[in-house]
Amino acid sequence: IIITVPQASVAESITSKTRKLNQNAKIIVRTRYVSEVEHLEKLGADEVIPEETTFVDRITSYLAGA
């Protein structure tokens, strides 16, 4: 699942609920700030990509290795 909502609280909720529903789901989250990365990973995100990085490059690389 790829989560790209702009609100951090919504991304956190989706991440947490998705992880509870499916422990094996691959969860990729786009976030605005690097400071949000660690929290989203603790909620169950496999990959968190801050907007400061190039989203397209990172998502393509991650999916190619999946």
Side-chain angles (χ1 to χ4, degrees), residues 5-51:
V5 295
Q7 299 88 358
S9 62
V10 176
E12 292 167 2
S13 178
I14 294 170
T15 301
S16 178
K17 289 176 183 175
T18 299
R19 182 55 64 215
K20 286 177 185 174
L21 289 171
N22 187 340
Q23 290 294 315
N24 297 316
K26 297 295 181 194
I27 303 172
I28 305 167
V29 184
R30 184 207 66 203
T31 188
R32 289 183 180 223
Y33 305 107
V34 172
S35 62
E36 298 169 343
V37 171
E38 186 176 340
H39 181 64
L40 285 160
E41 289 174 339
K42 286 180 180 177
L43 291 174
D46 295 299
E47 182 82 7
V48 181
I49 303 167
E51 287 182 2

